[in-house]
Amino acid sequence: MAAHIGHRLRKGATSGVVMAAAVAALAASQAPEAVQPPADNTSGDRAIGAGETVPPSGDGSATGDSPYYTELPPLNTPNKPGAITNLPVITGPAEAGIPASVLAAYKRAEQSIRSTTPGCNLPWQLLAGIGKVESGQARGGRVDANGTTLSPILGPVLNGVGFANISDTDDGAYDGDKVHDRAVGPMQFIPSTWATWGQDANSDGKKDPNNIYDAAQAAGAYLCANDRNLALKADLDRAILSYNRSTEYLNLVMSWVSYYQRGTHQIPDGTGTLPVDRSDDPVRGNRPTAPPSPTPTTPAPVTPKPSVTNPAPVKPPTTPTKPPVTPPTVTPAAKVVRLTIVANGRLTTTTGSDFTGAPRVVALDATGKPVAGVGVRFEIAGTTDARFAGGTTAVTVTTGSAGLASSPRLRAGAQTGTFTVRATVVGRTLAAADFAATVTERQADTLTRVGEGIPTATTGTAFSRQIQVKATHDGALAPGVAVTATVVTSDTDPQESTEGPYFKQGDQTVRTVTLTTGVDGLLTLAPDTLFAGDKAGTFFLQLTTPGGGKVFVELTVQAPPTPEPTPSETGSPEATPSPGSSPTA
């Protein structure tokens, strides 16, 4: 039985009969579980669920729906369901291992996407399934130390002759074609899609579709678009179909995903099986493969039987040749012996502000030389509400050519205190590089009242005048500064008052509150914020800030006016007749 079935698929070019035959061959050989297409699928467009259909051709795709290399999963699966996951190394046409740099790129992309978009639930096995179908894992892992393919991987010319018709969008920058586009790189992005989704995952300053780290992270971001949750079957199907609109493509990718989820193994870079009939083949990649012509047979020469007069020739002894030994490829992470802090070992800022500078490390090997292409994970440890850009507490960055990795922007929240930013090498247990971070309150050394006049209120009512102060630090406006406002009885001996004006906090009556200046450095107590209380007299509102700012605002509480007494209330006598007048009859 053949160890695998290789063939080319493209939308509209593979009938349901052919696919059914391939799936039947798999089933007969106990292959990894493949998603069975319906028997009547002749166009690659079928319902994938209740109300879900393959997107119409106008919706676009990552690959331009170009032909792609396909290789069905191994027929004798070394990791059947329930088996031990310690897989043997398999070589030959049924190659199931993943080259070291390619596998590292998939796992690094998963970690990065999960730290920035955790709701997507991207599994690295999905990237591996697509990478297997699109390029045979970057042509069997033929990449350099930075993860860039040794030669560009190009799909067929998308000129509408048997394939999609996509005019040039990159002026030939990626695919060398200024007339039509071609899918590029191990994840086969068309240039227009790469322009939107391209990533610089290895921090070398460029977004290269032929770099497996950049391409894998871009594929992950593309698959997670539109708030997809790939833990849901419907969203997973939609994501794969957005990559290439073909149900056969969906089924084939999912068969590889299922296989890799049951276990796989790492092999050295460059030792994977180079696919045949792959889409980047310069001879066969741009047109359908014709069946081979019959080969004429030639009668075998008749060798006379040995006899006394015709003895058999004696063959000279041959020296057995040893197969060439390919030295194992050492991954970049395996070369690292330590992470060294090169900048911002101590981080400080004030609440609600960015830290100046970012944690930065260099990955070094045993000789002290920098190592490129290493995944470095920066993680916030400790009790804090500080976050990296995007609101995450952990992110993975790849070292560049100088071995350097810097974390994204780090911003403090409202919580003060200390915490640690920890840098580690992904996949290794080396000592971490720790950065001490401290968050303090924003400060203002001066508070100044804005406006004049003494706020006045009658007992039992609220102050109707607005009270406003301005906070500055070293002469500059101080936004986001905490201001403590306390009602006191004197501006010379400020003690919190037990009567008089007060604030409300829910159902509570308080005489001290903490407020915050706005972006303009101003703090405004709106009318009806401060209440007079029941005690008439003179009080003061003391306002203070961290850093020494202080100002007093005088408050006057008046008793309500006394109403004019009525005659009965004052005891005035009733009117009497004037002298000399006679009484009324």
Side-chain angles (χ1 to χ4, degrees):
M1 178 180 295
H4 77 293
I5 301 174
H7 61 103
R8 177 181 304 279
L9 295 175
R10 67 182 177 91
K11 184 178 180 181
T14 303
S15 70
V17 175
V18 173
M19 190 62 187
V23 173
L26 281 176
S29 305
Q30 297 182 345
E33 298 173 4
V35 180
Q36 298 283 345
D40 61 350
N41 180 37
T42 58
S43 65
D45 294 330
R46 69 166 178 88
I48 61 173
E52 300 294 339
T53 59
V54 178
S57 59
D59 287 352
S61 68
T63 63
D65 295 332
S66 62
Y68 43 84
Y69 164 71
T70 65
E71 181 181 1
L72 294 177
L75 300 182
N76 296 316
T77 303
N79 184 33
K80 298 180 177 64
I84 299 175
T85 57
N86 185 16
L87 301 177
V89 175
I90 301 175
T91 57
E95 173 66 73
I98 301 179
S101 291
V102 179
L103 181 60
Y106 295 152
K107 292 186 175 181
R108 185 180 302 170
E110 178 196 61
Q111 291 176 336
S112 178
I113 297 297
R114 285 186 179 245
S115 67
T116 57
T117 316
C120 176
N121 295 303
L122 172 74
W124 68 260
Q125 292 91 342
L126 175 57
L127 299 176
I130 290 176
K132 181 71 172 179
V133 172
E134 293 294 349
S135 67
Q137 309 299 22
R139 293 178 179 164
R142 286 159 176 80
V143 297
D144 63 18
N146 290 324
T148 303
T149 57
L150 300 182
S151 60
I153 297 178
L154 297 175
V157 177
L158 301 177
N159 56 7
V161 181
F163 313 116
N165 187 358
I166 302 178
S167 299
D168 175 65
T169 60
D170 66 333
D171 197 29
Y174 293 121
D175 55 17
D177 191 329
K178 295 187 177 183
V179 179
H180 294 92
D181 270 345
R182 302 174 71 174
V184 182
M187 302 304 279
Q188 288 289 279
F189 278 93
I190 57 175
S192 59
T193 306
W194 183 259
T196 301
W197 295 95
Q199 304 283 315
D200 177 17
N202 64 350
S203 301
D204 64 355
K206 58 184 178 180
K207 301 176 181 179
D208 184 359
N210 277 298
N211 181 277
I212 186 60
Y213 294 100
D214 293 358
Q217 186 154 315
Y222 182 87
L223 293 164
C224 288
N226 301 320
D227 296 324
R228 295 189 186 104
N229 178 2
L230 301 184
L232 303 177
K233 183 63 166 64
D235 279 6
L236 178 61
D237 286 352
R238 271 191 288 266
I240 298 173
L241 289 168
S242 75
Y243 215 89
N244 199 316
R245 292 186 305 270
S246 164
T247 303
E248 288 88 351
Y249 180 84
L250 167 66
N251 294 332
L252 188 62
V253 168
M254 283 306 301
S255 69
W256 274 110
V257 171
S258 176
Y259 177 77
Y260 290 137
Q261 285 176 336
R262 294 201 299 272
T264 186
H265 58 276
Q266 176 179 295
I267 60 174
D269 287 346
T271 63
T273 301
L274 184 64
V276 296
D277 279 352
R278 60 192 186 278
S279 61
D280 64 299
D281 190 312
V283 177
R284 305 170 70 182
N286 294 341
R287 59 182 181 272
T289 303
S293 301
T295 302
T297 58
T298 303
V302 178
T303 302
K305 295 181 179 180
S307 63
V308 176
T309 59
N310 185 28
V314 178
K315 295 183 179 180
T318 58
T319 302
T321 58
K322 295 183 179 179
V325 178
T326 303
T329 300
V330 180
T331 63
K335 300 176 184 178
V336 180
V337 297
R338 67 182 182 277
L339 283 180
T340 300
I341 296 175
V342 295
N344 304 306
R346 295 193 64 84
L347 304 163
T348 59
T349 193
T350 56
T351 53
S353 303
D354 290 344
F355 284 85
T356 54
R360 195 179 193 193
V361 296
V362 60
L364 301 175
D365 64 14
T367 65
K369 293 182 179 180
V371 183
V374 177
V376 176
R377 179 180 173 84
F378 292 93
E379 184 174 8
I380 297 173
T383 303
T384 180
D385 57 357
R387 295 291 184 267
F388 292 117
T392 64
T393 59
V395 66
T396 299
V397 179
T398 306
T399 60
S401 57
L404 297 172
S406 298
S407 82
R409 174 176 57 83
L410 182 62
R411 184 176 182 83
Q415 186 175 345
T416 60
T418 61
F419 62 94
T420 299
V421 178
R422 180 158 296 149
T424 56
V425 176
V426 176
R428 299 291 304 279
T429 56
L430 300 175
D434 286 347
F435 298 78
T438 303
V439 181
T440 57
E441 285 194 65
R442 291 191 183 186
Q443 297 186 348
D445 53 23
T446 305
L447 276 178
T448 307
R449 183 168 175 205
V450 178
E452 298 179 351
I454 299 175
T456 303
T458 303
T459 55
T461 67
F463 287 86
S464 59
R465 178 190 291 269
Q466 171 181 287
I467 300 174
Q468 190 174 63
V469 294
K470 178 176 66 176
T472 58
H473 189 75
D474 292 335
L477 292 175
V481 173
V483 178
T484 301
T486 304
V487 177
V488 296
T489 55
S490 170
D491 59 350
T492 57
D493 183 21
Q495 300 296 321
E496 183 179 84
S497 177
T498 58
E499 53 188 359
Y502 63 87
F503 299 94
K504 285 185 177 180
Q505 285 187 342
D507 296 332
Q508 301 294 317
T509 295
V510 298
R511 290 186 169 85
T512 297
V513 294
T514 300
L515 308 168
T516 305
T517 60
V519 294
D520 52 4
L522 296 177
L523 172 67
T524 302
L525 286 176
D528 302 328
T529 301
L530 182 63
F531 298 86
D534 297 329
K535 175 73 173 179
T538 298
F539 300 88
F540 293 87
L541 182 64
Q542 175 186 260
L543 300 122
T544 60
T545 66
K550 180 184 291 187
V551 68
F552 290 93
V553 178
E554 185 176 343
L555 305 172
T556 298
V557 179
Q558 298 175 337
T562 304
E564 291 292 333
T566 63
S568 60
E569 292 174 331
T570 59
S572 299
E574 294 185 2
T576 57
S578 59
S581 62
S582 59
T584 304

